[in-house]
Amino acid sequence: MTGQGQSASGWSAWSSTIFRHVHYENLVAGVSGGVLSNLALHPLDLVKIRFAVSDGLELRPKYKGILHCLTTIWKLDGLRGLYQGVTPNVWGAGLSWGLYFFFYNAIKSYKTEGRAEQLEATEYLISAAEAGAMTLCITNPLWGFVPGLFGTSHGALQFMAYELLKLKYNQHINRLPEAQLSTVEYISVAALSKIFAVAATYPYQVIRARLQDQHMFYNGVLDVMTKTWRKEGISGFYKGIAPNLIRVTPACCITFVVYENVSHFLLGLRKDDIN
């Protein structure tokens, strides 16, 4: 009981310290970026799913490329077809991005409190993973917990790369480490960090999509990996990566640019009120 009491009190102290660093501006900015990017690019998300489950079965539609897939869906179902599942996706993504930025910035501020030096790469990685896990605990009814927990590795890698690229770039041009970037600079940094994270974690997305596929039966993750490797080789684990990158890279850029600008604007208003 004593150990449990100490653990509970330790958690309480940690959480109260963390929540001293939260700002609603990060939540609002994150939701804004997530909603706008998903509204703009939802059709490409649909294309990514169609390609990811395309394992050669005759009963599936055959697409010659991204444009052919989009035009085929448009001819069959119109605009409604391109935006299948948009409502839960947009609100789920908006809430997830808002909470992610909300927790991530609080954790990052907590870890940098009282220290002059910037965080290390592993600290950014762990901070992003912690923020992802906390976000998942809240959005679990929307997305599912265990697969999502593995999926936090993508966000952790992306945020680590994003933070390091910002820092290194500012150092390279002799600016302060936390200096605000231009829109073009934010787009470039966000795009590079997203490409890095996608390349590292895309096979997991293909495996998950195939496990959820109703037209094919697999006996778990190992069975998916074995059959995919035997039938399609290494390229099978990267099917659909091109439309995925075309979709998620601009979405990431929109999300981060909107987030950075909205958060700087709102936090600037807070400072003006204090002064």
Side-chain angles (χ1 to χ4, degrees):
M1 289 296 292
T2 303
Q4 291 179 348
Q6 290 175 342
S7 176
S9 62
W11 165 256
S12 178
W14 180 84
S15 60
S16 62
T17 305
I18 286 290
F19 281 97
R20 284 197 294 106
H21 295 275
V22 301
H23 296 295
Y24 80 90
E25 292 89 350
N26 293 319
L27 177 65
V28 173
V31 170
S32 301
V35 168
L36 287 174
S37 65
N38 275 271
L39 276 176
L41 296 161
H42 180 79
L44 286 175
D45 193 38
L46 184 65
V47 171
K48 180 202 77 171
I49 295 171
R50 295 285 180 97
F51 276 100
V53 299
S54 178
D55 52 8
L57 292 179
E58 290 299 322
L59 53 87
R60 301 184 190 282
K62 301 296 186 295
Y63 302 115
K64 299 175 183 177
I66 298 169
L67 186 60
H68 180 244
C69 182
L70 288 169
T71 54
T72 301
I73 296 171
W74 174 268
K75 288 176 182 177
L76 290 174
D77 301 303
L79 186 63
R80 180 181 296 180
L82 292 174
Y83 277 88
Q84 286 178 353
V86 68
T87 301
N89 192 39
V90 164
W91 288 114
L95 178 61
S96 294
W97 275 115
L99 290 171
Y100 203 112
F101 279 113
F102 185 67
F103 292 130
Y104 175 71
N105 281 280
I107 294 169
K108 189 173 69 170
S109 297
Y110 164 72
K111 291 183 178 181
T112 55
E113 186 177 32
R115 56 187 281 184
E117 70 276 10
Q118 298 296 318
L119 298 180
E120 299 291 336
T122 52
E123 292 178 302
Y124 284 122
L125 184 70
I126 293 169
S127 298
E130 289 171 342
M134 293 172 76
T135 300
L136 195 64
C137 287
I138 296 174
T139 59
N140 177 33
L142 295 174
W143 300 109
F145 190 76
V146 175
L149 196 57
F150 285 103
T152 58
S153 61
H154 178 97
L157 289 169
Q158 179 185 334
F159 270 72
M160 178 189 72
Y162 182 75
E163 294 286 5
L164 291 176
L165 285 170
K166 284 198 302 181
L167 286 172
K168 296 298 182 183
Y169 179 75
N170 279 335
Q171 289 173 0
H172 177 69
I173 60 174
N174 296 318
R175 285 198 307 215
L176 291 173
E178 297 297 328
Q180 185 174 358
L181 277 61
S182 69
T183 297
V184 173
E185 290 167 340
Y186 278 129
I187 289 172
S188 302
V189 171
L192 288 171
S193 64
K194 174 55 74 173
I195 291 169
F196 165 72
V198 168
T201 62
Y202 191 76
Y204 156 79
Q205 296 184 43
V206 172
I207 291 168
R208 185 177 66 173
R210 294 192 174 191
L211 280 173
Q212 295 172 339
D213 183 17
Q214 297 178 354
H215 299 290
M216 188 72 177
F217 177 76
Y218 295 103
N219 291 312
V221 172
L222 188 60
D223 188 36
V224 177
M225 295 173 65
T226 303
K227 288 179 178 176
T228 301
W229 177 263
R230 287 176 180 171
K231 186 177 179 181
E232 303 165 73
I234 189 67
S235 62
F237 294 98
Y238 286 91
K239 270 195 169 180
I241 193 170
N244 183 52
L245 280 173
I246 292 171
R247 187 266 175 192
V248 299
T249 304
C252 175
C253 294
I254 293 170
T255 300
F256 276 79
V257 167
V258 172
Y259 166 76
E260 294 282 7
N261 284 284
V262 172
S263 63
H264 277 97
F265 172 73
L266 293 176
L267 290 169
L269 291 179
R270 175 192 285 258
K271 291 178 181 177
D272 290 341
D273 289 340
I274 292 173
N275 295 331

